[in-house]
Amino acid sequence: MNARISRTAAVEPDMTLAWEQLQASYIRHRNSAPFWSAYQAIQNELMLSHPKRCIDVCNQLATLAERLGVVAHAQLLGSACPESFSDGRHTGSTSP
């Protein structure tokens, strides 16, 4: 699973550059702190470029990291709609 995956693999066109940057960083740093710093920089750039799709692009980037073998299973973000929260606590909270 740690093999380099070609550009033609199922990557959205607007994610191609991010995919290439992620691969290059992984080849250079493997799963180390510099890789995760690069990951965060790529993620920040994607969020700035796609402000209305932040959750989607973050999830796509996490999926790409999983495809590289950086993590066994990417943890994806759910919807962060305001109605999902009440009184400052998540609705799934077991706290009173």
Side-chain angles (χ1 to χ4, degrees):
M1 179 147 79
N2 293 335
R4 184 178 168 112
I5 300 171
S6 71
R7 175 185 280 204
T8 58
V11 175
E12 284 189 26
D14 61 343
M15 294 294 291
T16 301
L17 179 59
W19 174 236
E20 291 172 353
Q21 292 172 329
L22 199 63
Q23 287 183 96
S25 180
Y26 185 67
I27 288 167
R28 240 180 280 123
H29 305 294
R30 302 313 260 178
N31 189 1
S32 66
F35 169 82
W36 291 108
S37 292
Y39 181 96
Q40 288 179 320
I42 294 166
Q43 185 178 54
N44 287 340
E45 183 61 36
L46 286 170
M47 289 172 36
L48 289 172
S49 300
H50 304 283
K52 295 181 180 180
R53 296 181 49 221
C54 287
I55 291 173
D56 182 47
V57 295
C58 287
N59 285 342
Q60 287 183 52
L61 190 62
T63 300
L64 294 176
E66 181 181 285
R67 286 174 57 187
L68 276 174
V70 180
V71 293
H73 182 71
Q75 184 167 350
L76 304 180
L77 302 172
S79 174
C81 299
E83 55 272 6
S84 299
F85 298 89
S86 64
D87 299 326
R89 296 185 304 235
H90 188 275
T91 57
S93 175
T94 57
S95 302

